[in-house]
Amino acid sequence: MGAARGVLQAALLLAAAAAAFLLVSPAAAAAVNSTSATLDNIQPLSTLNMAAARVAMDAGSAIRASPELLGTNGEDSAWVTVNFTTPAPTDGHWIALFSPADFDLIMGGKQSSSRINAAGEDEAPAGLPIAPIKYKFANISPSFMSSGSGDTSFLLINQRYDYAFGLFSGGKDNPKLVAVSNKISFANPKAPVFPRLSQGKGWNEMAVTWTSGYNVDEAYPFVEWTMNGKENARARRSPADTLTFTRNHLCGKPANAEGYRDPGFIHTAFLKNLWPNREYSYQIGHELLDGTIVWGKSSTFRASPSPGQASLQRIVIFGDMGLGQSDGSNELAGFQPGAQVTTERLIKDLPNYDAVFHIGDLSYANGFLAQWDQFTAQISPVASRVPYMVASGNHERTSRDTGGFYGGDDSHGECGVPAETYFRAPAAANRGKPWYAADHGMFRFCVGDTEHDWRPGTAQHAFLDGCFAAADRKHQPWLMFAAHRPLGYSSNEYYAREGSFSEPMGRTLQPLWQKHRVDLAVYGHVHNYERTCPVYENTCTAAPAAAGGGGNGSSPAAAYTGALGGTIHVVAGTGGARLRGYAGGEWPQWSAARSESYGYVKLTARDHSRLELEFIRSDDGEVLDAFSITRGYKDVLACAVDACDPHTLAN
């Protein structure tokens, strides 16, 4: 009976996993945004040709995972050791992690109740497959090819369901399931996990978002929080709202088919009336109907400075990170090769910055939704401590016939739904059109959404005009624009070939930047680092007072003083996606610095008269480029080309 059950479980596992995971064709790869190379857009899970898979249970093959019970002390992640053996080892053997582990689809029959999703809906009609969460080739274990036995470790996170591993032969093109492991689960699969902060609707408000398996009809979500360092400070509780999404919210495959996975419930609580620059402790939790409380991890954060407040203020900005894998699973090392090292550098650098702006292309899940849980786990050490603000990128939003500005299907059916649910931009008036303003002391950020039209006459253009105009430059001298696609200047090869040196039609915002004297515009999308001079209409409008240095933070590569006369544009799509070069030939005269390195931009302001920017390499923390701006308020007001306020000669 045990052997029969194993064969049955194997058959059901394969039935659940037998997706049409066909290799992305060259034509399909070419259809995605033309600034992205084919390799950047092929999610490794999509290269598993499970449509050709079959059950070939081998009595001599076995796979086992241990320990079977995880998170007994409240951990939300755990290492699992997988031991496997097969009598005829090849380099085409691989191990895949599946969840849920109860693949009890009846061939052509009715789904069991265990396939009802968290929202109470039937999410997987009979015969519809699901993707593995991750995989490795068996020869990652050094002894496998010689002995037929090996072991490896996987890092599992609490994703609300149990797990099982499958051992396959035949490579990715002709997979055969030869063994299935025992089941593994977390002690409380529904536990609240992976809190992530974002600035609320105002500067003195913090939003806390997290994921759990609890709907509001079985537990009430909340955050308990208190001010640190204040005698007799009482703990307060803020209730959270609860959202989820289903297959029907998504716009195409694989997101609403083989890549779909129940997202659980996403909760957000708002902590209000915070004191500027004060440290707070908080803990996410759920109160069950019997009064029992299930707690998540506790953490701390520092509230934002009030608008205009002069203090040490440091902001990190980058785009295009993706999902790293510290356990070496699947081929993400080639898909987003810098994601892990950038995440690790951000964790090490955590005491030295106050907020993060991740400006698009967040997880690169590309329609395989389990990757979103994996991504929130990856950034949780950072996002649970400082506001993690996001912008929408093409890999989050672009989907055909869904109201976006671009065609194509870079989101692979997601059409913004997972990103806009897992991450909150509370200051945005509409989650589906996530442009917003954020004040942080002496900084004002106006964050655009390049997946929706930004041109004159649109709602976004009107918003940006108002956002820039609302900055009180006496007290908030540093005015920033951030968005995913480079709307300003980039010498990326595609842009150069088009002759635009920017996203086509991008510079329709240039009159706004000039009118409002925007200091800095930062973009992702292009996977390199590039900085311009202060520029307007392809012409440098200011020269640095000093040049040289820039390495190791010894001195800035450029030091600008006085009025800029234009905007400095920075491309920083260097969070982890495969790096890119630049157009050949002579540099455009506005291109001041370049680097093909993984890293991030850090802005530092200590007072109202000096701003510093550094580009920090992820590998070693070295500063590869730096510049400073030193000026007074009169320099902000100074007349510039096409930016002179009307005036009279009368006394």
Side-chain angles (χ1 to χ4, degrees), residues 294-567:
V294 178
W295 292 104
K297 287 184 176 179
S298 61
S299 191
T300 62
F301 68 84
R302 187 170 297 278
S304 299
S306 59
Q309 178 181 324
S311 59
L312 176 61
Q313 296 161 16
R314 301 154 301 181
I315 309 293
V316 161
I317 312 177
F318 61 88
D320 305 75
M321 176 181 274
L323 182 63
Q325 287 289 355
S326 58
D327 61 8
S329 57
N330 58 33
E331 295 168 303
L332 289 169
F335 184 46
Q336 311 300 336
Q340 191 66 38
V341 69
T342 298
T343 301
E344 291 169 357
R345 177 59 53 187
L346 287 168
I347 294 170
K348 291 177 182 176
D349 202 17
L350 190 56
N352 302 311
Y353 58 90
D354 310 307
V356 169
F357 283 81
H358 186 162
I359 48 176
D361 286 3
L362 310 181
S363 74
Y364 284 90
N366 284 11
F368 291 88
L369 303 191
Q371 307 301 293
W372 280 102
D373 283 314
Q374 298 282 323
F375 181 72
T376 60
Q378 173 180 304
I379 65 166
S380 185
V382 173
S384 64
R385 296 292 307 281
V386 299
Y388 199 93
M389 314 294 286
V390 301
S392 184
N394 53 305
H395 284 279
E396 283 78 54
R397 180 61 181 82
T398 300
S399 188
R400 294 182 184 89
D401 300 321
T402 59
F405 192 53
Y406 291 90
D409 189 28
D410 291 0
S411 76
H412 297 267
E414 292 185 11
C415 57
V417 174
E420 293 160 13
T421 308
Y422 278 106
F423 290 89
R424 288 294 284 266
N430 183 330
R431 279 194 174 199
K433 297 180 178 179
W435 46 80
Y436 62 92
D439 294 311
H440 187 92
M442 295 174 285
F443 292 98
R444 181 169 181 83
F445 286 88
C446 298
V447 179
D449 172 18
T450 54
E451 304 316 298
H452 286 90
D453 196 351
W454 58 81
R455 295 173 298 174
T458 64
Q460 182 169 194
H461 190 277
F463 162 79
L464 290 171
D465 193 7
C467 182
F468 295 142
D472 178 358
R473 301 301 291 276
K474 293 186 295 297
H475 305 298
Q476 284 184 300
W478 310 118
L479 184 56
M480 308 291 157
F481 174 69
H484 182 61
R485 300 176 190 251
L487 302 187
Y489 293 79
S490 167
S491 56
N492 166 265
E493 183 180 2
Y494 167 70
Y495 291 149
R497 190 167 64 248
E498 291 292 301
S500 60
F501 286 99
S502 73
E503 192 71 24
M505 299 177 285
R507 292 188 197 165
T508 54
L509 285 180
Q510 194 161 229
L512 278 189
W513 299 326
Q514 191 72 355
K515 168 187 172 183
H516 295 292
R517 300 165 176 83
V518 172
D519 297 305
L520 187 67
V522 187
Y523 315 101
H525 195 57
V526 172
H527 302 163
N528 59 36
Y529 172 79
E530 185 169 21
R531 169 177 62 84
T532 74
C533 59
V535 61
Y536 178 63
E537 297 288 4
N538 291 299
T539 301
C540 292
T541 57
N552 299 310
S554 56
S555 61
Y560 295 98
T561 59
L564 294 180
T567 299

Side-chain angles (χ1 to χ4, degrees), residues 13-93:
L13 172 62
L14 187 61
F21 294 151
L22 299 176
L23 285 167
V24 176
S25 69
V32 299
N33 189 279
S34 48
T35 63
S36 298
T38 301
L39 286 175
D40 294 342
N41 294 291
I42 299 178
Q43 158 62 250
L45 294 172
S46 72
T47 68
L48 301 174
N49 186 13
M50 300 298 289
R54 61 186 178 88
V55 175
M57 294 298 287
D58 179 4
S61 298
I63 183 169
R64 180 163 183 81
S66 62
E68 293 186 348
L69 185 63
L70 312 175
T72 54
N73 293 316
E75 301 93 342
D76 50 28
S77 63
W79 286 92
V80 171
T81 300
V82 181
N83 300 96
F84 47 92
T85 186
T86 194
T90 70
D91 59 7
H93 278 84

Side-chain angles (χ1 to χ4, degrees), residues 26 111 128 145 152 192 268 390 395 405 502 528 533 639 645:
Q111 254 345 64
L128 187 64
M145 293 300 292
T152 187
T268 300
V390 301
H395 284 279
F405 192 53
S502 73
N528 59 36
C533 59
C639 186
D645 293 325

Side-chain angles (χ1 to χ4, degrees), residues 124-144:
L128 187 64
I130 66 170
I133 290 176
K134 55 174 73 174
Y135 68 91
K136 292 184 188 182
F137 280 93
N139 61 12
I140 197 171
S141 180
S143 64
F144 176 72

Side-chain angles (χ1 to χ4, degrees), residues 6-15 53-58 107 175-178:
V7 173
L8 178 60
Q9 184 185 7
L12 294 174
L13 172 62
L14 187 61
R54 61 186 178 88
V55 175
M57 294 298 287
D58 179 4
M107 297 293 198
K176 304 176 186 66
L177 182 64
V178 298

